[in-house]
Amino acid sequence: MPAIALEPHQLRLTIAPAALGFANTAELQDLPLPWIGQERAQAAARFGLTMVQPDYHLFVLGEVGSGRASLMHQAMCEAAATRAVPPDLCYVHNFDAPEHPRAARLPAGQGRVLRQAMAELTRSLQTDIPRHLSSPDFRAQARAITQVYEAQEAQAFSALEAFARARQFCLTRSDEDGGHMVFTITGSNGQPLTESEARALPPDQRARIDQAEQALRAEIMAFAQALRPLERVRDDALNDLRKRTVRPLLQQALQSVRSTVAVLPEALQTWLEQVERELLQHLQWFELADLPARDSAADGPAPAERSADNSDDSDGDEDDDAQRALNRLLHLCQIHVAVDHHAQRGAPVIVEDNPQHRTLFGGIEARHESDAPHADYTGIRAGSLLRAHGGFVLLHLHDLTSEEGLWARLRRFLRSSRLHIDEAGSGSNPGAAVSLQPEPVQVDVKIVLIGTVEEYYALQEADPDTARRFRAKVDFVESFAASSDSRRACAIFVAHSCKRHGLPHFAPAAVALLLEQAHREADDQGRQSAQFGRIEALLMEAASLCQARGGARVEAADVQAAQHARMLRHNYPEEQLHESIAEGERLITLTGSAVGQINALTQIDLGDYRFGFPVRITARTFAGHEGLLNIEREVDMSGPIHDKGVLILHSYLTALFSHVAPLALNASIVFEQEYSGVEGDSASCAELYALLSSLSGLPLRQGIAITGALNQHGEVLPVGGINEKIEGWFRACAAAGLDGTHGVLVPSRNQRHLMLSADIASAVERGLFFVYTMNHVSEGIALLTGEPSGMSPADLQQPRTDDASDNVASAEDTVLERAEETLRAFRRACQTAAYPRRGRGNASRRKR
């Protein structure tokens, strides 16, 4: 069967704009956006998002630009709308263990209500408590307690004074410096002695005075020790009086706080009891902090409020210390709402684009007071996982694994669903006075993890325990079967993109070109690429060109101009290679015929741009026993797939000429002027033809370039990058001048993958260029040599024998027969070289 030349309409898919069914995409912008070609992924996403059992997190597989993130976010929002609003998360100070703040959850919106209630309570207590402690009734009871103490103190001091007088000392007590005592020696007249009089006393009298002084000092110390329990009794009595006075007020205020929440968690009940206890224990701070205000409003303080009527600097410092202590205490009586859902509708959906320890798991911020960092529970900051409790959080696996320790910490969280917030990695100052360890919180969150296929299966193999937590696999396809429904869905996607970006809408012809580009991205006339990121980029570029020319809507010419502009931005390497052909630096023969030489087609992928380019393959054959030599492999310039293709080629050649065995062949194949390495098996057909040409002596047409892989039976297999390869060859031929002898020979199984440029279709229509397809290598060699191949499966079924046995192999003069004749000549040459006497007489002549 000969190679088939394709018709122009077979070279590309052309979409009729009228078949799309709209005047412009503005008509479609309000229609819901479907999951285009991702029905399987949509069903898997819905299943995973609605599963409430543990370990049904979602792993989303797909390539960048497939819409995996945007579509999953859309599905997460839809699922979240059906869920209840999760509770608020609050933290409170733990008075019993300050380094372990307590956590509590409240119904959505109740956190800020309780926080406001506590803020109002602390503000009101700063005025209500001092007012109660300065009431006449409290002052009267406090004065009575003080008077009892003062009477006991006066009695004890009177005894001390009598003790001093009996020993000729005058004892006085200063009202300043805390009641400092001073005693002096008195004479017989009861008056204090002067210094000169004291020195004039006889020695024995001075000795008696010294003994008396020692006794008095001991008695003064005993007096001070006796006052301490009296002071404690007085202070305890005053504290009890303060508590009895303030407790009803405080209990009533705290009960008002409790009533703001329908059901108060046990942790907060315990905490409010701690607040009551702490406030009652430090009521004196309210009094001392309120003294400056009362001093300015009254003549003087009450006796119960100050033990001595002093107003020196030390008292001012004491008041300031009390104010700071009170402010700190009231600060610790506040509610810290770490997660506030008062305005939330449904469950939260969080897309974490910058996952770090702090942003994902939360952290603790330190406050700086007098240049010293200080951390407390109000510095706790919730991360995405806490904020997404009851809902969903979307993460990218690559982002998690790129930061040290982040993925390991997430694995630990997945095992327990308990989140620990610590200062490590939170950005807090390591010199903080207290290292906080907030109470761990149970978190119910569904993680949507996005990664590639390779990352998914690498996770399955490397970490099975973590992989089983992601039981819902959402697999986004790279391409999908095209239909009228999918094309309309794509048009809706175009409309939504225009609306979202504020771009002019598209005419049907422009949308048709975008759809054709989607087929080109998929290299398939029946399938579209699911990489909508690339289509959206082309859409925005075309719309920008439309706006630049002042157009009202994007036309087909705008899309074509955007495609051409994109190519010019990326094709400089391609231009350099084609210039090297035009300048004769790279040897590519475009016309005529040559033996053992053929033009193959390769694809160069730069990541953001792909293009095809011809490369010359040459083959040389000699008599020998070394077999087929792959020069690229010998110098480590070929990849494993190319090496595999050469081995398959060698296997096919061995089977093809098995009746001529043993083969006496030395053959070498090389990619001429190729210095960056060779990979892939798409040149194996071209390599076979170059070898057959060298063996048969038949020249190959140089105007036809070849691509295709073969199997061990000579069947031609499809290859990748078919469109780029053909266009690269066409460009080289067009630069030299098309004369009707140029074309390409490609696998027939690649016909559905053809989405060639309109220039090639036009050249084929005018008979200046040809695209041939083949199913078997025999069809290609016949086209290239103009001779029957003798290699088709039907030909090979005919009995063939070695003419060394005096049998006739075939009467047909084919490529295969010519190659066989050369191989027999090689064998005879080898036999002659090895056995000169026997080999010369036994050589038989081939019979035709």
Side-chain angles (χ1 to χ4, degrees):
M1 181 177 178
I4 299 175
L6 298 181
E7 297 296 327
H9 69 274
Q10 296 176 295
L11 304 181
R12 62 177 287 114
L13 171 69
T14 303
I15 298 176
L20 297 177
F22 59 86
N24 67 71
T25 54
E27 303 172 7
L28 311 175
Q29 61 182 348
D30 295 326
L31 297 178
L33 180 63
W35 288 46
I36 309 171
Q38 303 291 357
E39 291 77 13
R40 181 195 302 268
Q42 184 179 24
R46 288 176 176 172
F47 166 77
L49 293 174
T50 55
M51 285 291 289
V52 295
Q53 286 74 14
D55 294 338
Y56 272 90
H57 302 287
L58 288 76
F59 197 110
V60 182
L61 294 72
E63 297 300 322
V64 176
S66 61
R68 55 186 185 172
S70 57
L71 289 175
M72 284 306 304
H73 183 255
Q74 175 181 318
M76 291 159 65
C77 291
E78 292 173 356
T82 64
R83 292 192 173 195
V85 180
D88 295 339
L89 175 64
C90 302
Y91 284 95
V92 294
H93 178 69
N94 188 344
F95 291 95
D96 295 331
E99 68 277 10
H100 298 294
R102 301 295 302 274
R105 295 194 184 276
L106 290 168
Q110 292 298 296
R112 62 169 39 208
V113 172
L114 189 61
R115 179 182 60 190
Q116 181 65 28
M118 284 301 299
E120 293 177 357
L121 178 141
T122 55
R123 282 196 299 268
S124 62
L125 290 182
Q126 293 184 73
T127 57
D128 292 346
I129 289 179
R131 186 168 60 248
H132 278 64
L133 296 181
S134 62
S135 64
D137 181 59
F138 174 81
R139 288 191 176 189
Q141 296 182 58
R143 188 177 298 109
I145 295 172
T146 304
Q147 288 173 349
V148 171
Y149 166 77
E150 291 174 347
Q152 293 174 333
E153 181 188 30
Q155 183 180 358
F157 186 74
S158 297
L160 181 63
E161 280 185 316
F163 183 87
R165 283 194 302 271
R167 288 158 180 78
Q168 293 185 337
F169 285 98
C170 177
L171 182 65
T172 59
R173 183 168 56 174
S174 172
D175 292 335
E176 300 177 358
D177 300 329
H180 181 68
M181 292 188 185
V182 178
F183 58 89
T184 57
I185 305 172
T186 61
S188 57
N189 57 359
Q191 297 298 319
L193 295 179
T194 64
E195 185 177 355
S196 58
E197 291 174 341
R199 282 198 299 266
L201 293 175
D204 56 340
Q205 187 176 358
R206 282 188 302 185
R208 287 195 302 273
I209 292 174
D210 289 341
Q211 292 177 355
E213 181 180 348
Q214 295 298 326
L216 179 58
R217 290 184 183 275
E219 193 67 18
I220 291 173
M221 293 181 62
F223 170 78
Q225 292 175 355
L227 285 185
R228 289 194 185 98
L230 297 178
E231 290 175 347
R232 285 196 293 270
V233 170
R234 178 199 63 185
D235 293 341
D236 291 343
L238 288 174
N239 284 333
D240 290 341
L241 176 60
R242 292 188 186 97
K243 291 178 182 180
R244 291 196 306 271
T245 304
V246 174
R247 182 176 283 114
L249 166 69
L250 187 56
Q251 290 179 342
Q252 182 180 3
L254 289 175
Q255 185 58 37
S256 299
V257 171
R258 293 184 178 94
S259 64
T260 59
V261 179
V263 178
L264 196 66
E266 182 179 353
L268 291 181
Q269 289 278 18
T270 302
W271 177 73
L272 288 176
E273 294 173 1
Q274 291 180 341
V275 169
E276 179 180 352
R277 181 193 68 197
E278 293 297 319
L279 290 175
L280 290 175
Q281 286 179 352
H282 300 95
L283 292 175
Q284 71 277 11
W285 290 346
F286 287 89
E287 290 184 285
L288 294 174
D290 188 59
L291 280 177
R294 283 191 285 141
D295 286 344
S296 63
D299 294 335
E305 296 169 339
R306 183 172 290 180
S307 59
D309 187 11
N310 298 323
S311 58
D312 57 7
D313 293 340
S314 62
D315 294 329
D317 293 341
E318 185 180 1
D319 295 341
D320 292 340
D321 292 342
Q323 185 64 62
R324 284 192 293 268
L326 177 60
N327 291 340
R328 177 63 181 166
L329 175 61
L330 296 179
H331 171 76
L332 297 178
C333 294
Q334 300 302 312
I335 298 285
H336 174 54
V337 183
V339 179
D340 186 358
H341 288 304
H342 78 282
Q344 183 73 37
R345 298 292 181 269
V349 175
I350 296 178
V351 178
E352 184 52 76
D353 292 323
N354 183 33
Q356 301 174 4
H357 288 274
R358 175 179 53 81
T359 59
L360 191 58
F361 294 96
I364 303 172
E365 295 180 359
R367 297 186 299 112
H368 291 265
E369 298 177 353
S370 302
D371 297 330
H374 180 81
D376 63 23
Y377 72 105
T378 60
I380 298 174
R381 298 293 177 261
S384 298
L385 292 175
L386 274 180
R387 291 186 290 112
H389 172 71
F392 311 94
V393 60
L394 186 145
L395 299 163
H396 289 263
L397 178 58
H398 178 72
D399 295 337
L400 295 173
T401 55
S402 61
E403 179 159 340
E404 183 179 359
L406 190 58
W407 175 244
R409 188 173 180 184
L410 182 63
R411 288 204 310 265
R412 293 194 295 271
F413 166 74
L414 289 172
R415 284 199 298 268
S416 64
S417 295
R418 289 175 64 82
L419 192 140
H420 298 254
I421 297 179
D422 54 38
E423 293 174 314
S426 66
S428 61
N429 193 315
V434 178
S435 179
L436 294 186
Q437 296 177 0
E439 180 183 4
V441 180
Q442 198 74 21
V443 179
D444 176 20
V445 62
K446 192 173 288 291
I447 297 176
V448 179
L449 189 61
I450 294 180
T452 63
V453 175
E454 293 78 8
E455 290 172 332
Y456 175 77
Y457 289 106
L459 176 64
Q460 291 277 2
E461 182 177 357
D463 194 353
D465 181 66
T466 300
R468 75 180 183 87
R469 312 289 177 190
F470 294 89
R471 291 176 174 171
K473 175 184 175 183
V474 183
D475 198 350
F476 277 72
V477 299
E478 297 182 16
S479 64
F480 55 89
S483 65
S484 58
D485 291 338
S486 69
R487 288 171 183 157
R488 181 168 180 81
C490 290
I492 296 175
F493 166 77
V494 173
H496 279 247
S497 298
C498 293
K499 181 179 179 180
R500 184 172 64 254
H501 297 294
L503 302 174
H505 283 275
F506 277 59
V511 174
L513 286 183
L514 292 178
L515 292 173
E516 292 174 11
Q517 180 63 28
H519 282 273
R520 172 62 184 260
E521 295 282 352
D523 286 329
D524 201 310
Q525 295 183 9
R527 300 182 68 83
Q528 291 180 231
S529 170
Q531 306 298 309
F532 286 98
R534 299 177 183 175
I535 300 301
E536 187 173 34
L538 179 60
L539 175 155
M540 291 188 290
E541 291 164 13
S544 178
L545 293 176
C546 172
Q547 290 173 323
R549 66 175 175 81
R553 66 177 186 174
V554 181
E555 303 291 346
D558 297 314
V559 178
Q560 292 171 340
Q563 290 173 320
H564 182 69
R566 175 184 290 184
M567 181 191 69
L568 292 179
R569 291 194 299 269
H570 294 85
N571 74 338
Y572 178 65
E574 181 183 13
E575 290 285 347
Q576 286 183 304
L577 290 174
H578 280 283
E579 287 174 2
S580 68
I581 296 177
E583 295 169 357
E585 178 183 349
R586 186 173 291 268
L587 302 180
I588 298 291
T589 304
L590 301 173
T591 58
S593 300
V595 175
Q597 175 179 303
I598 195 169
N599 292 319
L601 299 178
T602 64
Q603 178 191 239
I604 299 176
D605 192 343
L606 301 178
D608 58 352
Y609 184 69
R610 299 183 302 168
F611 64 92
F613 193 76
V615 61
R616 175 186 288 181
I617 295 178
T618 58
R620 299 295 299 272
T621 54
F622 311 93
H625 298 285
E626 296 182 1
L628 180 60
L629 177 67
N630 175 12
I631 293 179
E632 269 72 27
R633 180 182 181 184
E634 295 300 316
V635 296
D636 294 328
M637 290 185 62
S638 64
I641 299 177
H642 178 258
D643 293 341
K644 175 184 176 183
V646 174
L647 292 175
I648 292 174
L649 166 60
H650 185 270
S651 174
Y652 177 67
L653 278 175
T654 302
L656 190 64
F657 297 107
S658 59
H659 60 287
V660 192
L663 294 179
L665 174 68
N666 283 357
S668 62
I669 303 174
V670 66
F671 283 71
E672 302 286 353
Q673 297 181 284
E674 180 55 56
Y675 308 111
S676 58
V678 178
E679 178 61 314
D681 60 355
S682 63
S684 54
C685 282
E687 292 169 326
L688 172 65
Y689 294 155
L691 283 171
L692 291 176
S693 173
S694 179
L695 287 172
S696 66
L698 293 172
L700 301 175
R701 294 172 59 181
Q702 299 298 294
I704 298 179
I706 314 299
T707 187
L710 79 155
N711 63 16
Q712 295 187 93
H713 301 285
E715 297 172 315
V716 183
L717 307 178
V719 296
I722 189 68
N723 294 294
E724 288 79 8
K725 292 175 179 179
I726 295 175
E727 290 172 355
W729 175 247
F730 174 80
R731 179 174 179 180
C733 295
L738 298 173
D739 58 8
T741 64
H742 300 108
V744 292
L745 180 60
V746 301
S748 61
R749 293 174 176 84
N750 274 125
Q751 180 177 336
R752 62 171 295 174
H753 304 141
L754 296 178
M755 282 296 297
L756 298 172
S757 65
D759 293 341
I760 296 181
S762 176
V764 170
E765 187 174 11
R766 289 181 288 138
L768 298 177
F769 192 80
F770 297 89
V771 178
Y772 299 98
T773 62
M774 57 178 172
N775 281 302
H776 194 270
V777 292
S778 59
E779 302 167 12
I781 194 65
L783 174 68
L784 295 173
T785 62
E787 299 290 339
S789 69
M791 296 164 49
S792 68
D795 294 334
L796 296 179
Q797 288 177 1
Q798 300 297 324
R800 295 181 295 162
T801 58
D802 189 349
D803 63 355
S805 302
D806 295 329
N807 293 321
V808 178
S810 176
E812 185 178 6
D813 192 8
T814 64
V815 175
L816 184 62
E817 283 293 324
R818 290 173 180 269
E820 289 175 358
E821 182 179 4
T822 302
L823 288 173
R824 292 189 183 97
F826 287 169
R827 187 171 64 182
R828 289 193 294 270
C830 290
Q831 290 172 345
T832 301
Y835 307 102
R837 293 181 180 178
R838 297 178 56 191
R840 188 177 295 119
N842 290 336
S844 61
R845 181 172 298 176
R846 177 172 178 241
K847 298 178 181 179
R848 292 180 122 8

